[in-house]
Amino acid sequence: MDLATAPPAPLTRRHLHVAGDWVDPSSGDTIPVENPATGETIGEVPAGAPADVDRAVAAARAAFPGWAATDPAERAAHLDRLHTALAARADDIARTVASELGAPLKLATRVQAGLPLIVLRSMVELAARPAAERVVGNSLVVREPVGVVGAITPWNYPLHQVVAKLAPALAAGCTVVLKPSELTPLTAYLLFDAVTEAGLPPGVVNLVPGTGPVVGEALAAHPDVDLVSFTGSTATGRRIAHLAADRIARVALELGGKSANVILADADLPTAVKVGVGNVLVNSGQTCTAWTRMLVHRDRYDEALELAATAVAGYRLGDPFDPATRLGPLVSAAQADRVRGHVDRALADGARLVAGGPAAPLPPRGHFVAPTVLADVHPDSALAQEEVFGPVLAVIPFTDTDEAVAIANNSRYGLAGAVWSADEDAALAVARRLRTGQVDVNGGAFNPLAPFGGYRQSGLGRELGTYGVEEFTEVKAIQR
Ligand code: NAD
């Protein structure tokens, strides 16, 4: 079957997944799902209500004691079956993400469908290990599952964000109620098809689609949810933290970013700029870790701008299902308008247009924004401070390493970053000074076992690997 022309999986879904069954929602209200490359409505899902959240949380609560007491090897076997069932749907997942998010099919296949499988595989292995216990003096310190988890996820990597919560929560012995983004709810349905096929015990995972203000708030405020694990904007994370604070419930927050790519004078500039541009443009710039501020030594600044313009010219916008397409649309008209507004404001603030911009040609329909490079961006300006979440790179010059570090750390965010230098020790020294949760040195590869999360307003807690599993545990000391 030709992947590019194959029809995607069902795009209209009518049910919630509660206590191991596909069940009717409490109301007939629905949410349309749009294809952002065309602007057409391609399907719909139920608009869940607080009564649906109550039902799903009750199912997760009822399932918790049994799942928490399940032998780790058996929990790992369940996750292994889920991995098999999800892997069998990889093509459908890729085509569905291409349809509801507009991600080019190649990226959708490699990252949007591929990454969750890598993360889930890592969690099969971690789930099989009993939680580590420590003896501290006369105390035995043990880790226990935190309880019922409310998981609320964004649209940008719709399946990865879900699996990065659901798999470690299950590995730790927690049960879960998931609310996926209302903009991209269809991939979560494919995951729950896999959950059904894998035969997970009823109530261990539950799905309630719906809007943030209705289903998200009901889940975050629910008295029987022990931990709210959220990925999304800093503004929503703040709201969720307030809701959870009322009952002193735990939160794990993966929020926004404005990450710096620090290119020292002795760096391999063509590689650093090419990889840096690719990092900003992947998924049309809708990536929380995107290195959206490129900091370049003044001696190499003009050369870097030329390289960046050349790199951007190689990104063809268009139909996500066309193999030649490297950049799809943004997820929605509102998101595209927001991104254009950031570019207009940056130009008004004195930034210099190097590539793209308001006059660049675009496909005739869909929510496209041209990949854009802006130079001479002031480190305090809105473009250098605010998360754009679109294909927009701000380039900023620096004169010495101290200034580069100061500019990089001049942010309310602290999610990711990069450093490039021919001297790896020098790069490592800068990496240590960056106030962020992740730093890649000379293009260091993504590690699915490394802790992932942010400093400052980029969030609280860590996902992935053992750190990600521990996020879903409580610590108990038993004195003898
Ligand atoms: P968003 O905050 O608008 O929505 C995220 C989720 O929260 C959605 O499911 C939404 O329905 C829900 N929500 C919205 N309002 C809510 C409320 N009042 N109560 C409860 N839930 C509510 O974010 P988005 O636009 O979907 O995603 C983009 C943002 O996510 C960006 O800021 C990006 O940086 C961030 N993000 C962070 C990471 C990370 O790991 N740090 C990863 C991906 C995206």
Side-chain angles (χ1 to χ4, degrees):
M1 187 191 295
D2 178 2
L3 196 68
T5 56
L11 298 178
T12 287
R13 299 293 196 126
R14 302 266 173 232
H15 298 103
L16 323 174
H17 198 277
V18 177
D21 270 328
W22 292 109
V23 301
D24 289 331
S26 60
S27 97
D29 294 346
T30 59
I31 298 173
V33 182
E34 188 197 35
N35 177 344
T38 62
E40 286 163 4
T41 297
I42 53 172
E44 59 185 35
V45 297
D52 300 317
V53 174
D54 288 345
R55 199 173 161 194
V57 172
R61 175 58 60 196
F64 175 63
W67 184 250
T70 299
D71 185 65
E74 200 184 322
R75 285 204 296 255
H78 278 293
L79 286 177
D80 193 28
R81 283 193 289 278
L82 182 59
H83 182 274
T84 303
L86 198 62
R89 290 166 172 78
D91 288 354
D92 267 354
I93 290 164
R95 278 177 277 134
T96 301
V97 180
S99 301
E100 66 180 352
L101 177 65
L105 194 61
K106 195 169 156 195
L107 175 82
T109 303
R110 191 169 48 84
V111 179
Q112 299 279 8
L115 183 57
L117 289 170
I118 292 170
V119 171
L120 185 51
R121 169 55 55 207
S122 73
M123 289 299 160
V124 173
E125 284 155 28
L126 291 174
R129 299 186 204 158
E133 300 189 348
R134 281 183 65 195
V135 174
V136 180
N138 66 320
S139 301
L140 175 66
V141 181
V142 299
R143 284 189 177 270
E144 298 180 343
V146 68
V148 173
V149 172
I152 302 174
T153 55
W155 43 263
N156 62 339
Y157 291 86
L159 186 59
H160 167 68
Q161 307 292 4
V162 169
V163 169
K165 300 185 183 314
L166 193 130
L170 294 181
C174 296
T175 56
V176 180
V177 176
L178 168 68
K179 189 211 90 65
S181 170
E182 56 271 49
L183 294 178
T184 57
L186 297 169
T187 13
Y189 274 91
L190 292 172
L191 173 66
F192 276 74
D193 288 343
V195 162
T196 307
E197 185 179 312
L200 258 66
V204 165
V205 283
N206 305 273
L207 170 68
V208 183
T211 66
V214 178
V215 174
E217 295 235 353
L219 193 54
H222 202 289
D224 225 9
V225 168
D226 298 294
L227 182 148
V228 186
S229 179
F230 169 76
T231 299
S233 63
T234 296
T236 306
R238 188 175 294 118
R239 171 73 184 143
I240 284 172
H242 279 294
L243 290 169
D246 275 345
R247 62 183 192 289
I248 320 291
R250 286 182 38 199
V251 290
L253 304 174
E254 300 289 344
L255 309 176
K258 191 76 209 180
S259 298
N261 180 12
V262 180
I263 305 178
L264 300 181
D266 63 351
D268 169 359
L269 198 67
T271 304
V273 172
K274 188 170 164 234
V275 174
V277 166
N279 180 286
V280 171
L281 298 188
V282 71
N283 212 33
S284 297
Q286 303 166 126
T287 303
C288 53
T289 50
W291 307 331
T292 47
R293 295 180 295 153
M294 183 181 279
L295 278 45
V296 186
H297 194 280
R298 277 192 194 279
D299 289 352
R300 316 286 305 274
Y301 187 61
D302 291 339
E303 200 187 334
L305 293 177
E306 266 177 45
L307 288 164
T310 307
V312 163
Y315 281 79
R316 181 163 151 189
L317 283 78
D319 176 1
F321 285 90
D322 180 342
T325 295
R326 288 183 77 189
L327 270 191
L330 299 192
V331 71
S332 64
Q335 186 67 14
D337 284 346
R338 263 197 296 275
V339 172
R340 287 190 204 104
H342 279 288
V343 173
D344 292 345
R345 164 100 194 258
L347 291 170
D349 284 348
R352 174 160 57 100
L353 189 63
V354 173
L362 294 173
R365 58 181 189 158
H367 311 311
F368 289 90
V369 172
T372 296
V373 178
L374 292 155
D376 309 345
V377 175
H378 193 282
D380 292 330
S381 68
L383 189 71
Q385 292 295 323
E386 290 174 16
E387 185 179 52
V388 173
F389 232 55
V392 181
L393 173 65
V395 191
I396 304 171
F398 66 85
T399 36
D400 60 35
T401 303
D402 284 348
E403 190 192 9
V405 170
I407 295 171
N409 287 338
N410 173 16
S411 174
R412 66 178 179 279
Y413 295 114
L415 189 56
V419 190
W420 300 81
S421 170
D423 177 349
E424 195 174 311
D425 288 344
L428 200 57
V430 172
R432 287 181 185 278
R433 294 173 69 189
L434 298 185
R435 303 284 298 160
T436 67
Q438 292 238 336
V439 188
D440 297 348
V441 168
N442 290 332
F446 175 75
N447 176 1
L449 294 176
F452 179 91
Y455 287 24
R456 300 190 239 180
Q457 292 189 26
S458 288
L460 293 173
R462 294 294 179 268
E463 287 190 329
L464 304 182
T466 49
Y467 299 85
V469 178
E470 285 180 359
E471 191 77 47
F472 294 101
T473 60
E474 287 282 14
V475 178
K476 175 184 281 178
I478 303 167
Q479 284 63 243
R480 293 174 288 186

